[in-house]
Amino acid sequence: MKKKTKKKWLYFLIGMALLIYFFYFQNNSIVTSEYTISSDKLPQNFNEYKIVQLSDLHSKSFGNDQSDLVKKVKKLEPDLILFTGDLIDSERYDEKPSLILMERLVQVAPVFYVTGNHEWWSGKFNTLEDKLKNIGVQLLRNTAEEITIGTDKIQIIGIDDPSNVEETYVERAKTEENITNSIEEIEGEDNFQILLSHRPEMVSLYSEYGFDVVFSGHAHGGQFRIPFVGGLIAPDQGLFPQYTSGKYKSDNTTMIVNRGLGNSIIPIRVFNLPEIVVVTLSSVK
C-alpha cells in the first residue's frame, strides 16, 4: 500500500473516531442550567427554596444504576425534585432504568411526577403507575398538593399529558379540562402556584389560569440546536419551534422548559446536551 493511501486511511479513521466521540459527548454529558424566579407572592420560608427539574429520560441510563445522573442531582442539594414526563419510551419500552432512577431520587428529596405522551402511547402506564407509587414517587394526575414549611405553604399542581385522547385537535381542550379539574378544590387562590405540564406550547393557556411557574419538557431542546438560532424541530411545534429551552414569560406566568435527558424518534442530539434544571425561588419583600 502506498504511503499516500495509508495516510488517507489514517486520517479517515481519526476522523471517524473524533466523530463518534463528538456524538457520544453530545448525548451523554449532562449540563446543569440554573435560574432564579422571584415573586412577592412567595412566602418568606420558601426564600432560597431549590427545585431540580428532570424531564424526558426515555429510559436512558447515565452510568451504572443511573449513578452519574444521581450524583449530579445530589450535589445540588434540592429541596424538591420534579419530573415532567416521558420517563419511558413507548417504542423501546424498558422501565428498569427509569424505576432505578426514581428509587434513588426519592432518597434525595421528595419527587413529584406528571405523565408525558410516551407514557400513554406505551399502553403500559397503569402498571408503571403502581410501581412508581410503591417507590414513593408522588404522582400528580390532574391533582394539587400543598408543600408546607412552618406555617407557610405553596401549591403544586400537575396535569396528565393530553395524549390519552385520540384526536389531536382536542388536546388543548383536554388540557384545559385537566387544569380545571386539578384546581377545583384548591383553597386560597393567592397562594404561590407551580404547574407541572409536559407540553410547553400551551403556555398561553397556562397563563390564563395565573400559575406563577410552569415546568415543562417535551421539546427535547429542539433536538439539534443551531448557534444563535435555537432548536431545529420539536413535537407539536414543528420547525424552528418557539419553546424549546430555558425561561419564558407570558403575562404573570414564568415557564421553564427543560431540554430533557434522552432521545426518542430522533436518536441523537447536536449542540444540545442532556440537561438538569435548577430553579431557586426568591421571595421579594
Side-chain angles (χ1 to χ4, degrees), residues 3-244:
K3 285 185 177 181
K4 287 185 178 180
T5 304
K6 286 182 178 179
K7 282 186 176 181
K8 286 181 180 179
W9 273 106
L10 180 61
Y11 293 150
F12 173 78
L13 292 173
I14 291 173
M16 288 299 296
L18 290 173
L19 190 63
I20 290 169
Y21 175 78
F22 171 78
F23 283 122
Y24 179 85
F25 180 84
Q26 292 289 308
N27 290 269
N28 292 277
S29 297
I30 306 168
V31 66
T32 299
S33 301
E34 299 187 19
Y35 306 94
T36 297
I37 295 178
S38 302
S39 173
D40 57 8
K41 290 174 62 179
L42 187 73
Q44 190 62 38
N45 281 336
F46 284 89
N47 188 47
E48 300 300 316
Y49 191 80
K50 188 181 290 186
I51 299 172
V52 162
Q53 180 206 11
L54 305 174
S55 196
D56 298 86
L57 182 70
H58 290 279
S59 300
K60 184 176 174 62
S61 291
F62 291 90
N64 293 330
D65 291 338
Q66 302 287 12
S67 57
D68 294 348
L69 178 54
V70 173
K71 182 179 180 181
K72 286 181 175 291
V73 173
K74 277 185 177 180
K75 189 175 181 180
L76 295 167
E77 299 181 338
D79 297 294
L80 188 69
I81 299 171
L82 309 177
F83 198 99
T84 48
D86 284 0
L87 182 62
I88 52 84
D89 192 85
S90 60
E91 294 298 320
R92 305 178 304 277
Y93 191 88
D94 180 7
E95 62 186 30
K96 184 177 178 181
S98 304
L99 293 174
I100 287 172
L101 176 63
M102 290 304 197
E103 285 175 353
R104 300 194 63 185
L105 289 179
V106 296
Q107 299 173 35
V108 178
V111 178
F112 285 86
Y113 160 89
V114 293
T115 60
N117 49 300
H118 276 260
E119 279 85 347
W120 296 112
W121 289 352
S122 73
K124 300 177 181 179
F125 178 62
N126 288 340
T127 57
L128 180 63
E129 180 180 20
D130 291 338
K131 292 173 183 178
L132 290 172
K133 287 179 178 177
N134 290 335
I135 288 170
V137 176
Q138 301 181 64
L139 281 76
L140 294 173
R141 298 202 52 206
N142 308 325
T143 53
E145 297 288 342
E146 288 184 349
I147 300 172
T148 59
I149 300 178
T151 57
D152 289 339
K153 64 182 179 181
I154 61 176
Q155 291 164 338
I156 182 166
I157 299 101
I159 59 173
D160 279 338
D161 187 84
S163 289
N164 57 343
V165 296
E166 293 182 1
E167 298 86 358
T168 57
Y169 70 88
V170 300
E171 285 182 345
R172 184 181 174 91
K174 182 62 176 176
T175 299
E176 185 162 17
E177 179 187 334
N178 291 344
I179 291 173
T180 56
N181 288 341
S182 68
I183 64 176
E184 62 183 0
E185 295 182 3
I186 286 181
E187 295 180 0
E189 294 182 358
D190 292 334
N191 290 331
F192 188 85
Q193 294 183 338
I194 296 171
L195 175 69
L196 309 187
S197 179
H198 186 58
R199 303 205 183 198
E201 68 272 11
M202 297 188 190
V203 63
S204 62
L205 175 60
Y206 309 147
S207 66
E208 288 178 17
Y209 286 84
F211 296 111
D212 296 286
V213 185
V214 178
F215 288 92
S216 291
H218 190 48
H220 291 207
Q223 204 69 43
F224 310 119
R225 294 193 67 78
I226 303 170
F228 310 109
V229 176
L232 178 62
I233 189 167
D236 301 297
Q237 294 188 69
L239 288 172
F240 303 107
Q242 184 174 0
Y243 306 109
T244 60

